[in-house]
Amino acid sequence: MIRLGMIGGGQGAFIGAVHRHAAALDGLYELVAGAFSSNPDTSKASGHLLGLPPERVYTSYQELIQQEKQRPEAERVQVISIVTPNHLHFAPARLALENGFHVMLDKPMTFSLAEAKELEQIAAASGCRFCLTHTYTGYPMVKEARQLVASGKLGTIRKAYVEYPQGWLSTFEEGGANKQASWRTDPARSGVAGAMGDIGTHAFNLLEYVTGLTVTQLCADINTVVPGRQLDDDGAVLLRLSGGASGVLVATQVAAGEENNLRLRVYGEKGGLEWQQADANTLQVKWLDRPTEIRRTGAGYTSSYARHNTRAPAGHPEGYLEAFANLYRNFALSLQADLSGTTAPPEALDYPGIAEGVRGMAFIENVIASGRSDQKWTSFSC
Amino acid sequence: MIRLGMIGGGQGAFIGAVHRHAAALDGLYELVAGAFSSNPDTSKASGHLLGLPPERVYTSYQELIQQEKQRPEAERVQVISIVTPNHLHFAPARLALENGFHVMLDKPMTFSLAEAKELEQIAAASGCRFCLTHTYTGYPMVKEARQLVASGKLGTIRKAYVEYPQGWLSTFEEGGANKQASWRTDPARSGVAGAMGDIGTHAFNLLEYVTGLTVTQLCADINTVVPGRQLDDDGAVLLRLSGGASGVLVATQVAAGEENNLRLRVYGEKGGLEWQQADANTLQVKWLDRPTEIRRTGAGYTSSYARHNTRAPAGHPEGYLEAFANLYRNFALSLQADLSGTTAPPEALDYPGIAEGVRGMAFIENVIASGRSDQKWTSFSC
Amino acid sequence: MIRLGMIGGGQGAFIGAVHRHAAALDGLYELVAGAFSSNPDTSKASGHLLGLPPERVYTSYQELIQQEKQRPEAERVQVISIVTPNHLHFAPARLALENGFHVMLDKPMTFSLAEAKELEQIAAASGCRFCLTHTYTGYPMVKEARQLVASGKLGTIRKAYVEYPQGWLSTFEEGGANKQASWRTDPARSGVAGAMGDIGTHAFNLLEYVTGLTVTQLCADINTVVPGRQLDDDGAVLLRLSGGASGVLVATQVAAGEENNLRLRVYGEKGGLEWQQADANTLQVKWLDRPTEIRRTGAGYTSSYARHNTRAPAGHPEGYLEAFANLYRNFALSLQADLSGTTAPPEALDYPGIAEGVRGMAFIENVIASGRSDQKWTSFSC
Amino acid sequence: MIRLGMIGGGQGAFIGAVHRHAAALDGLYELVAGAFSSNPDTSKASGHLLGLPPERVYTSYQELIQQEKQRPEAERVQVISIVTPNHLHFAPARLALENGFHVMLDKPMTFSLAEAKELEQIAAASGCRFCLTHTYTGYPMVKEARQLVASGKLGTIRKAYVEYPQGWLSTFEEGGANKQASWRTDPARSGVAGAMGDIGTHAFNLLEYVTGLTVTQLCADINTVVPGRQLDDDGAVLLRLSGGASGVLVATQVAAGEENNLRLRVYGEKGGLEWQQADANTLQVKWLDRPTEIRRTGAGYTSSYARHNTRAPAGHPEGYLEAFANLYRNFALSLQADLSGTTAPPEALDYPGIAEGVRGMAFIENVIASGRSDQKWTSFSC
């Protein structure tokens, strides 16, 4: 069992519980410490509910890192999960890495691209492992999609469409008690972007991950639809991709009635693919001249990458927590290999890391800049 | 029975047969004359196959119009369907209107916006009825969608996404014997646009029809993906709409493996809707705070507009030809009302006409201009 | 154009209009005469609305047949469509056949199996063509399904499940003005069965058509769910099929909220297939060891039987009327071949006929007998 | 944390790992002991892999129970999960209960109905809690379905259809190395039924759970389709239910190409519902006279039972492991309430128990008896 510490994720948070479920699912981690809130009482109460001994429930990330570092190596935290709002990503991540702790960090990686680049340097120097929780790449059928593109069977990729419609910010939620809405729409905590940071980065990451291409230019229409809101809650982006492909990215949080409907379509010379989170265990593979194929999680014909990230036989749906757990599991397998002096298989090493985090932050800054520009195409600078 | 004449649509054409099925379905039209091809032999052979008497099979549209005009009123053609390639729309439509024939015209309306505006004047002066075959607005659930938006139940519209992916031009089809591909990719016959004219106009019309809004600005990425092709086969367009809404239009003919997958989503303050042609008898209506509704063709709760355009009870799928036939049927009902000195019900009068044709041509010219421009937003001029 | 006469189908009837649309769609028939109702006024009014000359609108089927027979051969009706309630199928069909008219008859074929067998003799002796409107076998993807089974690619068939849930008789509709409900629940007009005759026969026909197998034994649970109803409105049947396969047939008209959801699944040693009318242009083909295939109407890879029954390219949905029209079209093509002394292609000859009608009536009598029996298995006698 | 011991589930087993994931997900259990195999080496190796101390890895269930009982109360196992093949359910469950351990048992509950009834007595006498892992009732939308029926909004229930098609036993899998196939088709280990025990019991449980009705009579067609197989691999059953409803249950493992496609439909006087595992987060609710509703996991309008069993916001799919984990979680919450002298909320107490186990075993014996009988209806004796 890998010893896990958590920064953030106290009572009332959403993503902290998700991380804990994800870490727990495969029995590879033991939560042994946490600084769950900057409010000492909340942190203590949260730690108590989670069954932690009081002495390992801290009131600040600094305390957690310093105290844990002084514990015997066989006992101290090995991985620190940071699940705070965006403005509190960089500092604890830096401190953790600098003190030799491996880091699991929520997306988007930092508050700014500058921070992201600095963190990249720190992570490289630290020798520690780093994972950024772009959950959706943990789905077996997303792995399958990437492998299919990489196999060349679709031919050269020409088009990629990714869309991420949500509806939960259709009203002025931040005016009330919705804690999630509150920080996500606050420039002081969320950064320069709202929807583009919160979900646009997921869409961007999914597109680059599956196609293996990079965005080279973009042209964005960025909107704040709900009156009074401080950050964007809606956007659409024309994309030019490496290798001559092009595409569209849509991310909106004002599509009233939509849940969390991330969807990707990619088309090459000979065929295309379609995946959507609402039917996450299906990958549609389309062909110019023969029937569409329905590929399914757990089926015998899937790639080693898909199978590696599957727990049950075909027909037993794997959900969001399993996708999230795949990130934790692969991170654990990679660490265990390191610890035992072996090399993890490529399937285990396939989790999002610091490079994806830097590109995500670059996406945020470029897309917001493009949204403000009268110039049509903005070169993707990173 | 309304007496129908046809220009174009000889052997080997696709859309001519569709028009004939659509006109025949409700028993309201009788095909009595045609100039099916500029090749006299093809026209004769086609007319023979269709059971027309030789004297009413003509070798040019001029001949058809002139000869028919000289026939007794009780016998002569009343409506002329023009189903030729784009460059052969304006001249026969003008001549028909100027000679008092009602016109059913295939989209896009003309070869250029200038022609479209001229035709608008001619049509207005003629007193004749005119229908442009934007087929997809003939589906009962598209009618339902428009009525739902108009009812205000979704609140003010904020977002509209329309996409029209096809895959049949993924290869250089025009290099072979594919007659459909040949003229659609030829600037001399198709006009300034390829995919944007052929299917982009349908998507544009569907979006404006359902939302009741108009495009005011656009920003287009227009591509020719297949090497050697002379016109665009792919595009994506950011849209600004009247009333402060915005949207995205995608039209591509290189989405390998896609059939004809027109899809529209519209979101207002309180809810949204989704319709796609592949499941044409379903309209999804989504709400911020209650379950998504599946509205279905033929159900008792549908609007008078949907019911008027439905032939069978719920559960008996109405397809593409029925949607097309709804245009012919509504045109016939409107004409019959005119002839009998009555007023057709609003449901019958709800078919696409000259104004939609002008906007479609404006879309083509604006979108291509935007595609060529370095300026981000192009005002929609019409 | 084949000259068509119609018996039944006057104002207010449902299926008469469907027949007329279906006959009209391909421009192969001209409606020239009719006895639309036993009420002379209704018949006259219906004929007038349909644009028939008064002298060819008759007040009884006998009159229609006798009068038409006296007309010159080049003018007289060639095909008679009989669209009356079940108790009025046999007599007009017999008279028509005996007088040399080809017959298109609504299902179920007759009022009793005895009548059906007698009609079979009469039809054989007449030399006339006969078609029974089991509409659902007219869908291109049902043709595809039958060809797939026949190809042997699924291996020996082991299981077949067919279900036909409707909800429209969930309440005592026959207590009101619903004409459709009224005769369908009346033993004097419908026969020994309600739901089993009305929709059970469709399900039975579909199963035997696609599998190429015959039902050899059955065990039925037949219910009258709605209080006051005189005939069955619900049933489920265990089936044993030739070749050792088995299956289940469900037909119910009290599945509240269901439209007309006919669905068939067939499984062989190596794979299976699934088709449902609500998504009629899709055939799912499932395999033991590879991805499910989505086969679609109009695609280039479909069988000659599917293509022959398709009017538009892939992605232009063909609906219920097109399926119905395929019966009329194939009947017309077969007749035209006869008249020209040639042989119609097997694809055109593939329409339901008298043999299917006899089996349908045998199904009705056997299934009702089984429903009343305490014995588990009833041999299918025919 | 509740201390968990496991009997069975060593390396190579499928369901043991599922139990461990399910127990781990919510962080409510700690696996502290196990007798993972009757083979001592396998048990030791499995325990080692799971990180257990060697002294708590046992070589028999008897040893586990006896040794654990002698440990201090604060340390000893509290719940024992029994995940062995069917013939090894009763003896360890009895011993566990008799020694005061709460039991989580895999379905079907025992080898025979007689054993089940005996276990029911033992459990009642023990005062221990007991859960039978009918996983599918753990899905939030299955909870929602049950609440909907219970609310009376659908009216009196008339029809229930449940089907459970799988394809994985389409060939003679037990002839090879497939451990799962081997015991499931072996009467000595599986009992009197194959498919009916393995998946038929799930379907039966789901139907009774959601409808709140009980099966009173049945009529079964039970088949062994694959040559050489010793137990049934296919069956279809007509059902009569309490309250005058009726239904059909299908369970087959020879539907080639099907995964694990459990589906339930229930119809009352006013509407119906449909749920299928392949789209587990959707509950379709159908109405006689208004649009079908799509109810979704995590939505604000769902019942307290659904919400209680949901971990993430709407649009984050919950899968099979989450459903399974809901059983473990509710069992834990019930136990914790007991231990703290409080009463668990009804939502937590809603997990399948001994009564469901007895009915499942009665189903197996009744359905197999009916399959062998020439009598149509077999009364459901229990």
Side-chain angles (χ1 to χ4, degrees):
Chain A
M1 299 274 270
I2 291 169
R3 293 177 300 280
L4 183 69
M6 181 168 276
I7 294 171
Q11 291 167 283
F14 151 57
I15 204 70
V18 167
H19 276 256
R20 288 190 293 267
H21 288 306
L25 185 63
D26 294 294
L28 297 170
Y29 293 88
E30 183 180 13
L31 181 67
V32 298
F36 298 103
S37 172
S38 53
N39 177 320
D41 291 345
T42 303
S43 187
K44 288 291 168 199
S46 300
H48 178 72
L49 273 176
L50 293 166
L52 293 189
E55 70 274 14
R56 294 184 87 173
V57 182
Y58 306 98
T59 56
S60 73
Y61 72 85
Q62 295 94 334
E63 191 191 4
L64 181 147
I65 290 168
Q66 286 152 11
Q67 296 287 318
E68 287 293 322
K69 198 173 180 186
Q70 288 165 27
R71 289 190 171 263
E73 201 176 332
E75 192 183 291
R76 82 167 69 126
V77 154
Q78 295 166 287
V79 171
I80 295 181
S81 286
I82 302 170
V83 298
T84 46
N86 306 349
H87 68 306
L88 295 173
H89 283 187
F90 175 71
R94 176 175 59 184
L95 197 62
L97 291 167
E98 287 175 347
N99 284 280
F101 295 99
H102 307 286
V103 168
M104 179 74 72
L105 181 58
D106 219 53
K107 48 51 58 185
M109 191 160 77
T110 50
F111 195 70
S112 68
L113 175 58
E115 278 186 2
K117 290 181 161 181
E118 195 179 341
L119 196 63
E120 188 176 34
Q121 304 281 335
I122 294 165
S126 75
C128 292
R129 288 205 169 266
F130 179 92
C131 176
L132 191 74
T133 53
H134 276 307
T135 323
Y136 302 102
T137 63
Y139 276 109
M141 287 298 100
V142 171
K143 301 286 185 191
E144 186 74 5
R146 177 175 160 90
Q147 294 304 313
L148 177 64
V149 172
S151 76
K153 287 182 185 162
L154 302 182
T156 299
I157 298 306
R158 292 167 161 178
K159 299 296 301 181
Y161 303 99
V162 67
E163 60 189 39
Y164 198 152
Q166 294 183 329
W168 71 290
L169 289 178
S170 292
T171 55
F172 193 63
E173 287 290 309
E174 59 269 50
N178 188 327
K179 190 173 166 180
Q180 297 304 318
S182 172
W183 77 258
R184 281 182 165 82
T185 59
D186 176 5
R189 287 177 282 173
S190 203
V192 69
M196 282 294 148
D198 191 21
I199 59 174
T201 49
H202 274 312
F204 172 83
N205 175 255
L206 182 67
L207 183 149
E208 290 203 338
Y209 177 73
V210 169
T211 62
L213 304 175
T214 52
V215 172
T216 57
Q217 287 184 293
L218 47 74
C219 169
D221 180 27
I222 303 294
N223 304 297
T224 301
V225 170
V226 173
R229 184 155 291 156
Q230 295 187 67
L231 289 173
D232 60 289
D233 49 21
D234 171 77
V237 193
L238 305 176
L239 303 173
R240 288 183 173 166
L241 305 170
S242 57
S246 60
V248 181
L249 181 152
V250 166
T252 184
Q253 296 179 312
V254 296
E258 293 291 348
E259 296 178 340
N260 192 47
N261 204 358
L262 179 60
R263 188 165 78 123
L264 175 71
R265 286 169 292 171
V266 176
Y267 299 97
E269 296 162 305
K270 301 171 192 168
L273 64 82
E274 179 169 348
W275 178 84
Q276 59 185 321
Q277 207 223 178
D279 186 18
N281 293 294
T282 293
L283 177 69
Q284 291 184 58
V285 184
K286 308 179 182 196
W287 300 104
L288 261 188
D289 49 7
R290 48 185 213 270
T292 291
E293 294 170 23
I294 302 298
R295 299 196 186 177
R296 297 272 299 160
T297 301
Y301 52 72
T302 53
S303 67
S304 66
Y305 284 78
R307 283 199 305 274
H308 173 79
N309 287 283
T310 303
R311 286 169 191 78
H316 299 76
E318 310 238 345
Y320 173 77
L321 289 176
E322 285 87 334
F324 213 115
N326 285 336
L327 271 57
Y328 268 94
R329 178 170 169 261
N330 286 327
F331 199 64
L333 295 176
S334 299
L335 277 180
Q336 289 173 337
D338 295 347
L339 295 171
S340 65
T342 59
T343 304
E347 292 86 353
L349 293 165
D350 182 23
Y351 57 82
I354 200 97
E356 286 81 1
V358 171
R359 283 199 67 79
M361 292 312 302
F363 169 73
I364 289 174
E365 301 208 349
N366 281 288
V367 85
I368 296 298
S370 172
R372 290 174 181 156
S373 171
D374 288 335
Q375 186 186 323
K376 190 166 179 179
W377 292 103
T378 296
S379 287
F380 191 95
S381 59
C382 185
Chain B
M1 300 272 271
I2 291 170
R3 293 177 300 281
L4 182 69
M6 181 167 278
I7 294 171
Q11 292 168 283
F14 152 57
I15 204 70
V18 168
H19 276 256
R20 287 190 295 267
H21 288 305
L25 184 63
D26 294 294
L28 297 170
Y29 292 88
E30 182 180 14
L31 181 67
V32 297
F36 300 103
S37 172
S38 53
N39 177 321
D41 291 345
T42 303
S43 187
K44 288 289 165 199
S46 300
H48 179 71
L49 273 176
L50 293 165
L52 294 189
E55 70 275 14
R56 295 183 86 172
V57 182
Y58 306 97
T59 57
S60 73
Y61 71 86
Q62 295 95 334
E63 192 192 2
L64 182 148
I65 291 168
Q66 286 152 10
Q67 296 286 319
E68 287 293 323
K69 199 173 180 185
Q70 288 165 25
R71 288 189 171 265
E73 201 176 333
E75 192 183 293
R76 82 166 71 125
V77 153
Q78 294 166 287
V79 170
I80 296 181
S81 285
I82 301 170
V83 299
T84 45
N86 305 350
H87 68 306
L88 295 172
H89 283 187
F90 175 72
R94 177 176 56 184
L95 197 61
L97 291 167
E98 288 175 346
N99 284 279
F101 295 99
H102 307 288
V103 168
M104 179 74 72
L105 181 58
D106 219 54
K107 47 52 56 185
M109 191 161 76
T110 48
F111 195 71
S112 68
L113 176 57
E115 279 185 1
K117 290 181 159 181
E118 195 178 340
L119 196 63
E120 188 175 32
Q121 304 282 335
I122 294 164
S126 75
C128 293
R129 287 205 170 265
F130 180 93
C131 175
L132 191 74
T133 53
H134 277 306
T135 322
Y136 302 103
T137 63
Y139 276 109
M141 287 298 101
V142 171
K143 301 286 185 192
E144 186 74 5
R146 177 175 159 90
Q147 295 304 314
L148 177 65
V149 172
S151 75
K153 288 183 185 161
L154 302 181
T156 299
I157 298 306
R158 292 165 161 180
K159 299 296 301 182
Y161 303 99
V162 66
E163 60 189 40
Y164 199 152
Q166 295 183 329
W168 70 290
L169 289 178
S170 292
T171 54
F172 193 63
E173 286 291 308
E174 60 269 50
N178 188 327
K179 189 172 165 180
Q180 298 303 319
S182 171
W183 76 258
R184 282 182 164 83
T185 59
D186 176 4
R189 288 177 282 173
S190 202
V192 69
M196 282 294 148
D198 190 22
I199 60 174
T201 48
H202 274 311
F204 172 81
N205 175 256
L206 183 67
L207 183 148
E208 290 202 338
Y209 177 73
V210 170
T211 62
L213 304 176
T214 51
V215 171
T216 57
Q217 287 185 291
L218 47 76
C219 169
D221 180 26
I222 304 294
N223 303 298
T224 301
V225 171
V226 172
R229 184 156 291 158
Q230 295 187 68
L231 290 172
D232 59 289
D233 49 22
D234 171 78
V237 193
L238 305 176
L239 303 173
R240 287 185 174 165
L241 305 169
S242 57
S246 60
V248 181
L249 180 152
V250 166
T252 184
Q253 297 180 309
V254 297
E258 294 291 348
E259 295 178 340
N260 192 46
N261 205 357
L262 178 61
R263 188 164 79 123
L264 175 71
R265 285 170 292 171
V266 176
Y267 300 96
E269 296 162 305
K270 300 172 191 169
L273 64 82
E274 179 170 348
W275 177 83
Q276 58 185 321
Q277 206 223 177
D279 186 17
N281 293 293
T282 292
L283 177 68
Q284 291 184 56
V285 184
K286 307 179 182 196
W287 301 104
L288 260 187
D289 49 8
R290 49 186 212 269
T292 291
E293 294 170 22
I294 301 297
R295 300 197 185 176
R296 296 273 298 160
T297 300
Y301 51 73
T302 52
S303 67
S304 66
Y305 283 78
R307 281 199 306 274
H308 173 79
N309 288 283
T310 303
R311 286 169 190 78
H316 299 77
E318 310 237 345
Y320 173 78
L321 289 176
E322 286 87 334
F324 213 115
N326 285 336
L327 272 57
Y328 269 94
R329 179 170 168 261
N330 286 328
F331 198 63
L333 295 176
S334 299
L335 277 180
Q336 289 173 338
D338 296 346
L339 294 171
S340 65
T342 60
T343 304
E347 292 85 353
L349 292 165
D350 181 24
Y351 58 81
I354 200 98
E356 287 79 1
V358 171
R359 283 199 67 78
M361 291 312 301
F363 170 73
I364 289 175
E365 300 207 350
N366 282 288
V367 84
I368 295 298
S370 172
R372 289 176 182 153
S373 171
D374 287 336
Q375 186 187 322
K376 191 167 177 179
W377 293 103
T378 296
S379 288
F380 191 95
S381 61
C382 185
Chain C
M1 299 274 272
I2 290 170
R3 293 177 301 280
L4 182 69
M6 180 168 277
I7 294 171
Q11 291 168 285
F14 152 56
I15 205 70
V18 168
H19 276 255
R20 287 189 295 266
H21 289 305
L25 184 63
D26 294 295
L28 296 170
Y29 293 87
E30 183 181 13
L31 182 67
V32 298
F36 299 103
S37 173
S38 54
N39 177 321
D41 291 344
T42 304
S43 187
K44 289 289 167 198
S46 301
H48 178 72
L49 273 176
L50 293 165
L52 294 189
E55 70 275 13
R56 294 184 88 172
V57 182
Y58 305 98
T59 57
S60 73
Y61 72 84
Q62 295 94 334
E63 191 190 3
L64 181 147
I65 291 168
Q66 286 153 10
Q67 297 286 319
E68 287 293 324
K69 200 173 178 186
Q70 289 165 27
R71 289 190 172 264
E73 201 175 334
E75 193 184 291
R76 83 166 70 124
V77 155
Q78 295 166 287
V79 170
I80 296 180
S81 285
I82 302 170
V83 299
T84 45
N86 306 350
H87 68 305
L88 295 172
H89 283 186
F90 175 72
R94 176 175 59 184
L95 197 62
L97 291 167
E98 287 175 348
N99 283 280
F101 294 99
H102 306 287
V103 169
M104 179 73 73
L105 181 58
D106 220 53
K107 48 52 55 187
M109 192 161 76
T110 49
F111 195 69
S112 68
L113 176 57
E115 278 185 1
K117 289 181 162 181
E118 195 179 340
L119 196 64
E120 188 176 33
Q121 303 282 336
I122 293 164
S126 75
C128 293
R129 286 205 171 266
F130 179 93
C131 176
L132 191 74
T133 53
H134 276 307
T135 323
Y136 302 102
T137 63
Y139 276 109
M141 287 298 101
V142 171
K143 301 287 185 191
E144 187 74 5
R146 176 176 160 90
Q147 294 304 314
L148 177 64
V149 172
S151 76
K153 286 181 187 163
L154 302 181
T156 299
I157 298 307
R158 292 166 161 178
K159 299 296 301 182
Y161 303 98
V162 66
E163 60 188 40
Y164 199 153
Q166 294 183 329
W168 70 291
L169 289 178
S170 292
T171 54
F172 193 64
E173 287 290 308
E174 59 268 51
N178 188 327
K179 190 173 166 180
Q180 298 304 318
S182 171
W183 76 258
R184 281 182 165 83
T185 59
D186 175 5
R189 287 177 283 173
S190 203
V192 69
M196 282 294 147
D198 190 22
I199 59 174
T201 49
H202 274 312
F204 172 82
N205 175 256
L206 183 67
L207 183 147
E208 290 203 338
Y209 177 73
V210 169
T211 62
L213 304 176
T214 52
V215 172
T216 57
Q217 287 185 292
L218 46 73
C219 168
D221 180 26
I222 303 295
N223 303 298
T224 302
V225 170
V226 173
R229 184 156 290 155
Q230 295 188 67
L231 289 173
D232 59 290
D233 50 21
D234 171 78
V237 193
L238 306 176
L239 303 172
R240 287 184 174 166
L241 304 169
S242 57
S246 60
V248 181
L249 181 153
V250 165
T252 183
Q253 296 179 312
V254 296
E258 293 291 348
E259 295 178 341
N260 192 47
N261 205 357
L262 178 60
R263 188 165 78 123
L264 175 71
R265 285 170 291 170
V266 176
Y267 299 97
E269 296 161 305
K270 300 170 192 169
L273 64 83
E274 178 169 347
W275 178 84
Q276 59 184 322
Q277 206 223 177
D279 186 17
N281 293 294
T282 293
L283 177 69
Q284 290 185 57
V285 183
K286 307 179 182 195
W287 301 103
L288 260 187
D289 48 8
R290 50 185 212 269
T292 291
E293 294 171 23
I294 302 297
R295 298 196 186 176
R296 296 272 298 161
T297 301
Y301 52 74
T302 53
S303 67
S304 66
Y305 283 78
R307 282 199 306 274
H308 172 79
N309 288 283
T310 303
R311 285 169 192 77
H316 299 77
E318 310 237 345
Y320 173 77
L321 289 176
E322 285 87 335
F324 213 115
N326 285 336
L327 272 57
Y328 268 94
R329 179 170 169 261
N330 286 328
F331 199 64
L333 296 176
S334 299
L335 277 179
Q336 289 173 337
D338 295 347
L339 295 171
S340 65
T342 59
T343 304
E347 292 85 354
L349 293 165
D350 182 22
Y351 58 81
I354 200 98
E356 287 79 1
V358 171
R359 283 200 65 80
M361 292 311 302
F363 170 72
I364 289 174
E365 301 208 350
N366 281 288
V367 84
I368 296 298
S370 173
R372 291 175 181 157
S373 170
D374 287 336
Q375 186 186 324
K376 191 166 179 179
W377 292 102
T378 296
S379 288
F380 191 95
S381 60
C382 185
Chain D
M1 299 273 271
I2 291 170
R3 293 177 300 281
L4 182 69
M6 180 168 277
I7 293 170
Q11 293 167 284
F14 151 57
I15 204 70
V18 168
H19 277 255
R20 287 190 294 267
H21 289 305
L25 184 64
D26 293 294
L28 296 170
Y29 293 88
E30 184 181 14
L31 181 67
V32 297
F36 299 103
S37 171
S38 53
N39 177 321
D41 291 345
T42 303
S43 187
K44 288 291 166 197
S46 300
H48 178 72
L49 273 176
L50 293 166
L52 294 189
E55 70 275 14
R56 294 183 87 173
V57 182
Y58 306 97
T59 56
S60 72
Y61 71 86
Q62 295 94 334
E63 191 191 3
L64 182 148
I65 291 168
Q66 285 152 13
Q67 296 286 319
E68 287 293 324
K69 199 173 181 186
Q70 288 165 28
R71 288 190 171 266
E73 201 175 333
E75 193 183 292
R76 83 166 71 126
V77 155
Q78 294 165 287
V79 171
I80 295 181
S81 286
I82 302 170
V83 298
T84 46
N86 305 350
H87 68 304
L88 294 173
H89 284 186
F90 175 72
R94 176 176 58 185
L95 197 62
L97 290 166
E98 287 175 348
N99 283 279
F101 295 99
H102 306 288
V103 168
M104 180 74 73
L105 181 58
D106 220 54
K107 48 52 54 186
M109 192 161 75
T110 49
F111 195 71
S112 67
L113 176 57
E115 278 186 3
K117 291 181 159 180
E118 195 177 341
L119 196 64
E120 187 175 34
Q121 303 282 336
I122 294 164
S126 75
C128 292
R129 287 205 170 265
F130 180 93
C131 176
L132 191 74
T133 53
H134 276 307
T135 323
Y136 302 102
T137 63
Y139 276 109
M141 287 298 101
V142 171
K143 301 286 185 191
E144 187 74 5
R146 177 175 160 91
Q147 295 303 314
L148 177 65
V149 171
S151 75
K153 288 182 184 161
L154 301 182
T156 299
I157 298 306
R158 292 165 162 181
K159 299 296 301 183
Y161 303 99
V162 66
E163 61 189 40
Y164 199 152
Q166 295 183 328
W168 71 290
L169 288 178
S170 293
T171 54
F172 193 64
E173 286 291 308
E174 60 268 51
N178 188 326
K179 191 173 165 179
Q180 298 303 319
S182 171
W183 76 259
R184 281 182 164 83
T185 59
D186 176 4
R189 288 177 282 174
S190 202
V192 68
M196 282 293 148
D198 191 22
I199 60 174
T201 48
H202 274 311
F204 172 82
N205 175 256
L206 182 68
L207 183 149
E208 290 202 338
Y209 177 74
V210 169
T211 62
L213 304 176
T214 51
V215 172
T216 57
Q217 287 184 292
L218 47 75
C219 169
D221 180 27
I222 303 294
N223 304 298
T224 301
V225 170
V226 173
R229 185 155 290 156
Q230 295 187 68
L231 290 172
D232 59 290
D233 48 22
D234 171 79
V237 193
L238 305 176
L239 302 173
R240 288 184 174 165
L241 304 169
S242 57
S246 61
V248 181
L249 181 153
V250 165
T252 183
Q253 297 179 310
V254 296
E258 293 291 348
E259 294 178 339
N260 192 47
N261 205 357
L262 179 60
R263 188 164 79 122
L264 175 71
R265 286 171 291 172
V266 176
Y267 300 96
E269 296 161 305
K270 300 171 192 169
L273 63 83
E274 179 169 347
W275 178 85
Q276 58 185 322
Q277 207 225 177
D279 185 18
N281 293 292
T282 293
L283 178 68
Q284 290 185 58
V285 183
K286 307 178 183 197
W287 301 104
L288 259 188
D289 49 8
R290 50 187 212 268
T292 291
E293 294 170 23
I294 302 297
R295 300 197 184 175
R296 296 274 298 161
T297 301
Y301 52 73
T302 53
S303 67
S304 66
Y305 283 79
R307 283 199 305 275
H308 173 80
N309 288 282
T310 303
R311 286 169 191 78
H316 299 77
E318 310 238 345
Y320 173 77
L321 289 176
E322 286 86 334
F324 213 115
N326 285 335
L327 272 58
Y328 268 95
R329 179 170 168 261
N330 286 327
F331 199 64
L333 295 176
S334 300
L335 277 180
Q336 288 174 338
D338 296 345
L339 294 171
S340 65
T342 60
T343 304
E347 292 86 354
L349 292 165
D350 182 23
Y351 58 80
I354 200 98
E356 287 80 1
V358 171
R359 283 199 66 78
M361 292 311 302
F363 169 72
I364 290 175
E365 301 208 349
N366 281 289
V367 84
I368 296 297
S370 173
R372 290 175 181 155
S373 171
D374 287 337
Q375 186 187 323
K376 192 166 177 181
W377 292 103
T378 296
S379 288
F380 192 95
S381 60
C382 185

